[in-house]
Amino acid sequence: MNFVVTIDWKFVVALGAVAVGTIFAVKMDADAAERVSTYVVDACKEYAVAGNGSR
């Protein structure tokens, strides 16, 4: 019986993002974490809008 696991770059990026997010969440106070998460959400929204507008 063969068992194949394929790890691509998206998996590695997601794993790194989870690790960095966990480290930041542990080391930051609540106010800083709120500011960072708000900034990240706004940046993702702008990227999504820009991506949809170029099609």
Side-chain angles (χ1 to χ4, degrees):
M1 182 170 142
N2 292 337
F3 185 68
V4 178
V5 176
T6 304
I7 298 177
D8 60 349
W9 66 271
K10 293 178 230 174
F11 176 78
V12 174
V13 169
L15 191 61
V18 168
V20 169
T22 303
I23 291 169
F24 281 150
V26 169
K27 294 198 177 262
M28 286 187 195
D29 60 343
D31 292 333
E34 182 182 358
R35 286 192 304 270
V36 169
S37 63
T38 303
Y39 178 77
V40 169
V41 168
D42 288 342
C44 289
K45 281 195 302 188
E46 289 178 12
Y47 180 74
V49 169
N52 288 338
S54 65
R55 292 181 188 199

